[in-house]
Amino acid sequence: MKNKFHKTIHQLGDEKIQIEKAQADPKDFEPLYNQYYEDVFRFVYQRLESREEAADIASQVFLKALVHLGQFRFRNIPFSAWLFRIAINEIITFFTRSKKERVVNIETVKLKELYEESDTELKEERIARIISEIKVLKGDDLLLIEMRFFENRSFKEIGEIMSITENNAKVKVYRILDRMKQNIF
Amino acid sequence: MNNINIDRPKITTAEVNQYKDFQALMNRYSRITAKAPLKKRGYKFGIPFLSVVLVSLFVWLILIPIVRKSGIQRTRTEGVRCINPPFPQANIPFTILHIRNLKDTILYVSPVACIEIGQNSLIDSAGNPVNDSIEIRYRQFMNPAEIFLSGIPMIYDSAGHSNTFESAGMIEIGAFFRNRPLLITPEKPVRISFRSSQTGNDYNLYYLDTVQRNWVYKEEDGVEMQKELKFMEQGESEAILTPWVDSLKQIRRIIADLQQQKPEPPVLANPQKWHFKIDILENEFPELSLYSKTVFEIDDQYRALNPSHPAIDWEDVIISRSEKPMHYYVTFKKDTITAKYRACPVLNGESYQLAFSKYEELFENYQRELAQRKEREDQVIRQLIFRQTLRRNDSITRVNNSASKSTENFVIRSFKILNFGIWNYDKALKYDRVLSITPTIIVNDSVYHKTFYRADLTRNALITVNPGNKMEYEKESRSMLWMVAGRDRIAVFTAEDFSSIPFRSASFTFHLRLIDKTIHSSEDFLTLFEVDFKENLD
C-alpha cells in the first residue's frame, strides 16, 4: 500500500505554495489544517489514553505550528514531519506536566509483525514477554518501535520526523530489536 | 513503566473530525498574537505597558494636533521598512564588472571583496545559462555612514519585536544581461568574501526580503574559520601567507589520514570456503569494528587449508594487514608449529545485514566528515588566493593605510548565496547598561520634530530615532547624531559633542550644527564622516 506520507515532487511543490500562502496570511492555514488534522490527531491518540486529551494536544500542535509558521523553512520534506515533531514535544510536555505514565497502544496483529521482524518463530506464550519489554522502552526507543511497527511508518518517514537519516532510523530500530531479543529469548 | 493498551477500539475518521475546529484554532491564535507584548514582558510589566499606551494616545490625540497647529516641522517615518536613500544623489555607487559565464570567475572588488562565480551558474528567468557578457553590480556598506546613504532599513522584525542591527558588513550584488536581472542556478551558489573590521563570530547572515520588507535569517556566522587571521602590517612580507600554507598542509594531512580510515563494506561469507573465528582487538584494527560477529574466510589463492590445522589447539595468533585490500595475514603458533594464512573477514545472514547497516552509517559519517574537511581545504585555498591577490591589488595601499591608523584586526567573512540582493552580517543591538534620554533637536535656533540618526561607531550601528521617541544609548559607545536638513544638507552633533552629555540625564537638548558643505555625492558625505564632520580640517 502506498504510504500517503510519501509525496511526489509536484505534491511537495503544491504544499510549499500552500505553506507560503499561510505564512503570508494565517487564514490560509485552513487547507493544511484540514489535510493534516486527522494524521496529527491519530499520532497523538496512539500515545494517549483519552480522546479528549488527544484533541487538546492536537489543537495545541496546530496552534504552535501556526504561531511559528514564519520560522518554518521548506526543505522538500512533507509538512507533516514538522507537525509530528511538534506533536512529539507536546506529548512529552503533557506527560511531564501531568506526571501520568506513558501509554502504548498495541494491536495484537501488529505485535505479531514485530515478532516476525525479529526473525523468530511465532509463539503465543512469548507475546507477554515482548509486551513486558515494550513496557520498559523509553524516549526515542519507544517512539521508533511505535512508529515502525504500530503505525507502519517507513524508515524514510521516521527519519524525517526524528530528524535523522533513513539509514540511521533503520540501524536504530534494529539495535532496539536486537536488545529486546536478547532479553526475550 | 509504560501503560499498555491492547486492541483498543479504533476511532473512525468521523469521530476524529468531531474534534476538528479551525475557527476555534484561529480564535486562540488571535488571542495569543494580540496578547504577545504583555505576555512577553510578564504580567508585572502590564501596568507600565498600559501607561505607555495611554501616554502614546495622549501624544497622538492631544499633543500632535497642537504641534500641527503651531506649524512646527514634522515628518513621520516610523514603520517605514523600504529602501529609502536620504540623499538619492549621494547613494553608494555600484562597482560594475563584466564577466563571461563560460568559465569559473573570481572577481576582486575594491575595497577588498572577492566574488566567485562558477561556470554557467548565472541563468535567465527561463533557467537557461547566459553565454554573453554579463554585468555584475556590487556595492558594500561597512559603516553607519554608508548604511545611512544606502537607505536600507536596519530594523529586524522578529515575532512582533523590532531590533536594530549592528552590522559586521552588508553588501548588495546583482547580475544583469542587457539590463535584465539574472538568477543563480541552485547547484552553483555564488561565493562572496569581504573584509570586516568587526572580528566577533556572533553575527548572523541575513537577506533583505524586499517584498516582505524584512530581514530573513539565513545562517550563523561563518567567520569562525578565518578568526585567527590578524591584520597584516603594511610592508609585511610573504610571512603573512605562511599560516595559510601551514594550515593547508595540515588539512591535507588530515584528509589523507581520514581517507586511510575509509570504512569498507562487509563481505558476505562464501559457504564453499573454510572459515575460522578469532577475537578482534578493535583498538588495533578499528576498520574491523564492524565485525562484532566476524568469521575469517581463508583466501585459498594465497594458501589452501591444511586439513590437520583445524584440530590443533593453537597457543598464539598474530594478525597483520596484508597487501590485498581487506585481507589479513593470520599466523597461528603452537610450540614449533607455525601456520600462516591470508583471510578476509566475512559475515553471515543477519549479522551481515546489521553490519551492512552499520557500514552505511559509518560510510555516511565518513563522507560527511570528508566533505567538511574538503570544504575547509577549499576555504584555506580561497584565503591564500585572496591574500596573494590582495598584495598585488592597488587597493591594498588604501586598506593598509586606513587599518594602520586604527591598528584594528580584521576578518574575512565568506558566504554562499543563491539569490542576488542585499546580504548583511548582523546581530541585534543590545546594550548592557542602556541609558535613555528625551531628546530635543535644535538647528539654528529652530526646534525640529523630525527623524534623526544616531551612529554608534563602537557597535557599527545606525539607529533611527523617530520624533517623540526616547533615544537609547550606552555611555561606553562612541556616538554621533545627524539629521537630514533639506535636499542636500546635513546637520550634525559630533562624537566629541556627544561625549559631553551629562551622565544619566533624563533629557537633553542637542544643538545640531548645519554643515555648510552640500551633499552631491556619497564621497561628500563619507569624507565629512571620516573627519567627524569637522569640515574645516581639509
Side-chain angles (χ1 to χ4, degrees):
Chain A
M1 190 177 70
K2 188 171 165 59
N3 186 338
K4 69 173 177 176
F5 178 85
H6 293 144
K7 290 184 183 294
T8 63
I9 294 284
H10 295 299
Q11 286 169 327
L12 283 173
D14 291 345
E15 188 163 272
K16 184 170 184 258
I17 292 167
Q18 196 56 58
I19 292 165
E20 284 167 352
K21 273 188 184 173
Q23 283 172 329
D25 184 353
K27 285 182 193 125
D28 285 330
F29 188 64
E30 191 166 8
L32 291 165
Y33 177 83
N34 288 336
Q35 186 178 350
Y36 289 118
Y37 183 84
E38 186 173 351
D39 293 344
V40 170
F41 182 95
R42 287 187 186 280
F43 185 89
V44 176
Y45 185 48
Q46 170 65 27
R47 289 154 181 83
L48 257 71
E49 194 74 58
S50 116
R51 293 178 180 189
E52 282 65 34
E53 284 170 346
D56 286 348
I57 293 179
S59 160
Q60 191 64 15
V61 169
F62 281 102
L63 184 66
K64 288 214 166 166
L66 191 53
V67 169
H68 299 287
L69 194 63
Q71 294 161 20
F72 177 81
R73 287 193 210 136
F74 192 81
R75 295 193 180 91
N76 284 328
I77 291 173
F79 185 59
S80 54
W82 190 58
L83 293 174
F84 291 146
R85 275 205 291 275
I86 299 174
I88 289 171
N89 289 335
E90 287 303 309
I91 291 165
I92 292 169
T93 309
F94 170 80
F95 282 110
T96 310
R97 281 190 186 155
S98 65
K99 296 195 169 66
K100 288 184 179 178
E101 282 170 351
R102 172 77 148 82
V103 180
V104 186
N105 286 294
I106 298 173
E107 287 175 59
T108 359
V109 182
K110 289 180 177 171
L111 194 65
K112 285 173 187 170
E113 282 170 18
L114 181 146
Y115 209 75
E116 283 162 351
E117 186 85 26
S118 60
D119 200 24
T120 312
E121 193 186 339
L122 178 65
K123 287 178 185 171
E124 288 294 334
E125 70 269 20
R126 285 191 175 156
I127 288 179
R129 296 174 73 176
I130 293 184
I131 289 174
S132 67
E133 280 303 306
I134 294 170
K135 269 189 176 179
V136 294
L137 281 178
K138 284 181 183 166
D140 285 356
D141 287 0
L142 178 57
L143 272 172
L144 284 161
I145 293 295
E146 276 180 316
M147 285 196 272
R148 178 67 184 154
F149 296 103
F150 307 146
E151 296 173 314
N152 286 340
R153 293 184 196 279
S154 69
F155 285 116
K156 180 177 162 59
E157 182 182 2
I158 294 171
E160 287 171 352
I161 293 170
M162 306 279 284
S163 292
I164 55 178
T165 62
E166 179 182 357
N167 199 47
N168 201 354
K170 200 182 295 180
V171 170
K172 283 184 173 189
V173 166
Y174 282 118
R175 279 188 192 151
I176 299 162
L177 280 182
D178 211 26
R179 274 206 309 276
M180 287 171 69
K181 243 173 67 179
Q182 282 172 15
N183 295 332
I184 293 166
F185 305 109
Chain B
M1 189 82 81
N2 305 318
N3 275 338
I4 307 284
N5 287 335
I6 296 179
D7 292 335
R8 178 170 70 174
K10 286 185 177 172
I11 186 166
T12 63
T13 298
E15 286 171 320
V16 172
N17 286 340
Q18 283 176 5
Y19 297 102
K20 204 161 135 186
D21 188 347
F22 184 72
Q23 195 48 52
L25 176 75
M26 286 310 291
N27 292 343
R28 285 183 71 195
Y29 174 73
S30 306
R31 282 200 298 276
I32 282 180
T33 47
K35 275 182 188 171
L38 274 176
K39 230 181 155 182
K40 204 87 178 172
R41 288 163 174 80
Y43 179 72
K44 63 180 177 173
F45 293 110
I47 290 169
F49 177 78
L50 281 174
S51 309
V52 170
V53 171
L54 290 173
V55 170
S56 304
L57 281 172
F58 173 76
V59 168
W60 277 104
L61 297 175
I62 310 294
L63 284 187
I64 286 178
I66 294 171
V67 167
R68 276 183 184 155
K69 278 179 192 169
S70 66
I72 297 171
Q73 189 179 354
R74 177 188 157 275
T75 303
R76 174 175 155 73
T77 54
E78 192 177 355
V80 171
R81 293 282 185 275
C82 55
I83 299 169
N84 190 13
F87 299 117
Q89 75 281 13
N91 205 341
I92 302 290
F94 283 95
T95 299
I96 308 286
L97 303 135
H98 290 91
I99 65 159
R100 291 266 175 185
N101 209 9
L102 298 168
K103 57 176 185 174
D104 292 351
T105 308
I106 301 180
L107 299 168
Y108 298 95
V109 190
S110 175
V112 198
C114 172
I115 305 163
E116 294 163 75
I117 301 170
Q119 181 186 7
N120 287 333
S121 65
L122 303 182
I123 51 175
D124 61 22
S125 55
N128 302 315
V130 176
N131 296 327
D132 217 327
S133 177
I134 292 170
E135 184 176 288
I136 303 292
R137 298 176 194 168
Y138 176 88
R139 57 180 183 158
Q140 57 185 39
F141 320 93
M142 295 293 158
N143 60 39
E146 289 172 340
I147 293 168
F148 167 70
L149 291 176
S150 74
I152 295 169
M154 295 302 278
I155 292 172
Y156 172 50
D157 282 340
S158 174
H161 292 271
S162 286
N163 299 299
T164 297
F165 277 142
E166 55 178 283
S167 175
M170 175 162 69
I171 65 110
E172 181 174 3
I173 184 168
F176 298 84
F177 175 60
R178 292 178 185 157
N179 271 331
R180 285 198 303 273
L182 298 179
L183 307 169
I184 305 169
T185 183
E187 295 80 30
K188 290 185 176 179
V190 169
R191 179 176 281 280
I192 295 167
S193 309
F194 63 77
R195 171 191 178 278
S196 165
S197 298
Q198 279 62 46
T199 55
N201 62 355
D202 51 349
Y203 295 87
N204 293 321
L205 183 64
Y206 293 84
Y207 172 74
L208 183 63
D209 183 333
T210 48
V211 178
Q212 297 289 329
R213 297 183 172 189
N214 200 11
W215 290 96
V216 180
Y217 168 80
K218 285 293 178 183
E219 63 182 40
E220 286 183 2
D221 204 333
V223 77
E224 189 65 35
M225 295 298 192
Q226 293 88 14
K227 200 177 154 190
E228 70 270 25
L229 180 76
K230 302 295 179 193
F231 177 70
M232 57 174 141
E233 292 298 326
Q234 193 172 12
E236 194 167 358
S237 69
E238 291 288 335
I240 190 67
L241 299 177
T242 308
W244 295 98
V245 174
D246 290 347
S247 189
L248 187 60
K249 282 179 188 166
Q250 191 189 359
I251 190 72
R252 284 183 169 164
R253 267 199 305 274
I254 291 170
I255 289 171
D257 288 348
L258 187 65
Q259 284 170 332
Q260 287 282 317
Q261 292 169 27
K262 181 182 171 185
E264 294 291 342
V267 180
L268 188 63
N270 179 347
Q272 307 299 318
K273 293 199 172 183
W274 287 100
H275 299 94
F276 60 85
K277 286 187 78 168
I278 51 173
D279 292 330
I280 304 283
L281 290 171
E282 289 190 9
N283 288 344
E284 288 186 30
F285 298 92
E287 74 276 24
L288 294 184
S289 64
L290 294 173
Y291 305 99
S292 57
K293 294 172 183 174
T294 299
V295 289
F296 279 80
E297 188 170 277
I298 290 175
D299 179 6
D300 41 21
Q301 284 181 345
Y302 177 75
R303 175 173 295 156
L305 179 75
N306 181 334
S308 68
H309 284 169
I312 299 173
D313 192 10
W314 300 100
E315 289 172 348
D316 193 12
V317 182
I318 301 163
I319 185 165
S320 59
R321 290 185 178 89
S322 85
E323 67 289 344
K324 190 173 175 182
M326 279 310 286
H327 280 66
Y328 297 82
Y329 290 121
V330 186
T331 308
F332 300 94
K333 285 185 180 173
K334 185 178 184 180
D335 301 329
T336 55
I337 312 170
T338 301
K340 187 175 179 184
Y341 291 98
R342 191 165 71 188
C344 172
V346 294
L347 290 158
N348 289 307
E350 191 191 346
S351 302
Y352 174 78
Q353 293 297 335
L354 281 170
F356 197 83
S357 294
K358 190 171 179 190
Y359 158 74
E360 286 182 311
E361 186 184 2
L362 285 174
F363 190 70
E364 196 175 298
N365 291 342
Y366 164 79
Q367 282 185 310
R368 193 180 310 121
E369 193 177 344
L370 188 65
Q372 283 170 357
R373 301 289 183 186
K374 292 266 187 193
E375 169 75 14
R376 173 68 181 134
E377 181 190 25
D378 194 34
Q379 281 178 352
V380 175
I381 291 170
R382 197 175 301 113
Q383 291 288 340
L384 264 170
I385 295 169
F386 191 39
R387 271 166 178 73
Q388 281 169 336
T389 313
L390 275 184
R391 298 185 72 253
R392 290 195 295 271
N393 197 321
D394 289 340
S395 66
I396 193 67
T397 312
R398 178 176 166 184
V399 177
N400 278 341
N401 286 342
S402 61
S404 300
K405 261 196 299 188
S406 59
T407 63
E408 276 178 334
N409 293 331
F410 76 89
V411 291
I412 300 298
R413 295 189 187 274
S414 191
F415 57 101
K416 288 179 183 172
I417 62 168
L418 284 172
N419 300 91
F420 287 119
I422 298 170
W423 294 82
N424 198 355
Y425 269 109
D426 292 297
K427 62 181 172 185
L429 179 67
K430 280 180 188 153
Y431 291 127
D432 293 333
R433 287 183 293 175
V434 64
L435 299 170
S436 184
I437 203 165
T438 304
T440 303
I441 301 292
I442 292 182
V443 183
N444 287 347
D445 299 329
S446 299
V447 177
Y448 280 76
H449 292 268
K450 187 177 176 184
T451 296
F452 67 92
Y453 302 86
R454 181 171 70 83
D456 186 327
L457 307 172
T458 310
R459 301 294 195 98
N460 205 40
L462 182 76
I463 301 100
T464 304
V465 184
N466 291 308
N469 287 358
K470 284 195 167 191
M471 184 186 76
E472 291 189 338
Y473 69 107
E474 189 181 51
K475 189 73 181 164
E476 289 75 15
S477 288
R478 191 165 172 263
S479 291
M480 61 169 68
L481 305 185
W482 60 68
M483 187 184 79
V484 175
R487 203 174 56 83
D488 52 8
R489 302 289 294 278
I490 191 95
V492 301
F493 192 73
T494 65
E496 200 178 318
D497 296 336
F498 200 94
S499 63
S500 67
I501 300 174
F503 188 49
R504 293 197 173 159
S505 303
S507 61
F508 189 78
T509 302
F510 293 88
H511 290 273
L512 271 61
R513 185 164 55 90
L514 188 65
I515 299 290
D516 288 339
K517 211 168 185 175
T518 50
I519 311 293
H520 296 299
S521 69
S522 58
E523 279 299 312
D524 290 341
F525 187 84
L526 294 174
T527 309
L528 286 166
F529 172 74
E530 277 179 22
V531 296
D532 198 14
F533 293 95
K534 290 171 187 162
E535 53 188 323
N536 55 347
L537 281 187
D538 304 329

